[in-house]
Amino acid sequence: MTLPVMEPDLDATVLKQWAKAVDDGPFSSICWGERMAFDNPDSLTMLGAVAAWTDRVQLVTTVIVPQLHDPVMLAKALATGDMLSGGRLTVGLGVGGRHEDYRAVGADPKSQTIRGMADRVAIMKRVWAGERITDSVLPVGPSPEQDGGPRLMVGTIGPKTVRSAAHWAEGLAGTTLDLDVDKQTELFDVATTSWAEAGKKPPHLATSFWFALGDPEPARAQIHHHLRRYMNWIPADFVDAIAPTTGLAGDENQLAEVLAKFAAIGTDEIHLIPTSSDLSQLRRVADVVETFRG
């Protein structure tokens, strides 16, 4: 379950309630994303809070853009989060889709490349291995709880990026707009093949989609409203065009059917993305997941 970090008018009470409810529920992980030129909470600050608010679930960043950070400082922050959570951290990394986020932090948009991401991953892995990458007396710490650092996932929907990440990632944290299992199967096949060619064990296969539970019309309107706000860097007419077919707007039975379809193609995990901070939406999904997993 993804925290509603992209919703307006959030406060610590709402986020803590969601985090504790996810941790108490049947969910395997709790997720949150990163943006800079937006009013969402900072992802690394959220990591510390979520580590303190939860005890059981895996913590998953979906996704952090390493080019927006100094790689050594990012490695230190993520190692701290892994240590505070007792080794429950999984880091989704991606190049990001918004130049405005790069400009907001003074990052070079020319670094918004697969190579730019891989170079920073290599530095972070050296930090987590305890290497002295400067002339400092001691290496940069703390040591992560997980040997070699937190588990890394590549956040993308592009086959080229998936192939390139096979040498450093342990799996895929993708997304699907229209819930097309055939398209998702194609991307999963690319990942499975690429990991095998790299001599690695099969990748963890995850995807995500937006949801709103309720009567079809108001649920669809909820998703549309969320997308209009979240996708503010895209022309509104394009968002309006994709909104009728993006995500799941329906009842619990329809959600269960979609989960079953993705399970049938070998999906290891689905990161559900809420389009409201209403806690009742989380509770309704928890009932579906409980039944589905049972």
Side-chain angles (χ1 to χ4, degrees):
M1 175 59 66
T2 303
L3 291 172
V5 292
M6 302 301 174
E7 292 300 302
D9 304 321
L10 292 174
D11 59 27
T13 299
V14 171
L15 291 169
K16 186 176 182 178
Q17 287 176 339
W18 270 73
K20 287 190 169 294
V22 173
D23 198 43
D24 290 341
F27 303 100
S28 58
S29 62
I30 186 168
C31 316
W32 64 96
E34 174 173 75
R35 286 187 67 175
M36 291 297 177
F38 203 67
D39 59 356
N40 60 300
D42 172 67
S43 60
L44 297 175
T45 306
M46 280 299 304
L47 171 56
V50 176
W53 290 338
T54 63
D55 297 304
R56 179 189 63 83
V57 289
Q58 291 292 305
L59 317 182
V60 184
T61 68
T62 53
V63 298
I64 284 176
V65 179
Q67 292 94 313
L68 302 181
H69 305 266
D70 176 273
V72 175
M73 293 180 68
L74 180 58
K76 185 179 183 74
L78 293 173
T80 301
D82 196 52
M83 178 265 290
L84 292 174
S85 65
R88 290 185 287 130
L89 179 60
T90 294
V91 180
L93 298 172
V95 298
R98 295 169 291 273
H99 284 176
E100 64 178 9
D101 281 352
Y102 280 70
R103 292 192 294 267
V105 299
D108 186 355
K110 293 180 180 178
S111 69
Q112 192 179 16
T113 63
I114 299 170
R115 176 62 181 272
M117 177 170 59
D119 288 346
R120 285 158 178 80
V121 168
I123 293 172
M124 291 192 293
K125 283 181 172 286
R126 290 177 60 197
V127 172
W128 294 332
E131 291 187 30
R132 289 187 178 85
I133 58 174
T134 69
D135 60 357
S136 59
V137 175
L138 295 174
V140 174
S143 298
E145 183 75 14
Q146 298 176 72
D147 187 32
R151 182 171 66 162
L152 302 182
M153 309 283 282
V154 59
T156 184
I157 58 174
K160 183 178 179 181
T161 305
V162 170
R163 293 188 187 97
S164 71
H167 72 282
W168 60 261
E170 294 186 37
L172 169 66
T175 190
T176 173
L177 295 180
D178 56 6
L179 310 181
D180 188 326
V181 294
D182 291 333
K183 290 180 183 177
Q184 195 65 68
T185 298
E186 292 176 3
L187 194 63
F188 284 174
D189 287 345
V190 170
T192 301
T193 300
S194 299
W195 263 246
E197 291 174 348
K200 299 177 65 175
K201 66 180 183 180
H204 182 83
L205 301 174
T207 191
S208 63
F209 59 82
W210 283 282
F211 75 89
L213 290 185
D215 293 334
E217 189 171 336
R220 179 54 60 189
Q222 178 178 307
I223 290 178
H224 193 165
H225 178 75
H226 172 88
L227 294 177
R228 265 293 196 103
R229 182 174 187 276
Y230 176 72
M231 294 183 170
N232 64 328
W233 76 97
I234 298 174
D237 56 350
F238 179 81
V239 177
D240 293 342
I242 67 171
T245 57
T246 295
L248 180 137
D251 60 23
E252 284 84 345
N253 289 333
Q254 290 170 300
L255 175 58
E257 290 173 3
V258 171
L259 294 178
K261 289 179 181 178
F262 279 94
I265 64 169
T267 308
D268 293 308
E269 189 172 47
I270 291 177
H271 303 143
L272 295 165
I273 309 171
T275 53
S276 166
S277 59
D278 183 353
L279 201 60
S280 68
Q281 291 275 297
L282 171 61
R283 295 190 178 110
R284 292 177 68 174
V285 174
D287 290 340
V288 175
V289 174
E290 187 75 60
T291 301
F292 185 80
R293 294 183 66 182

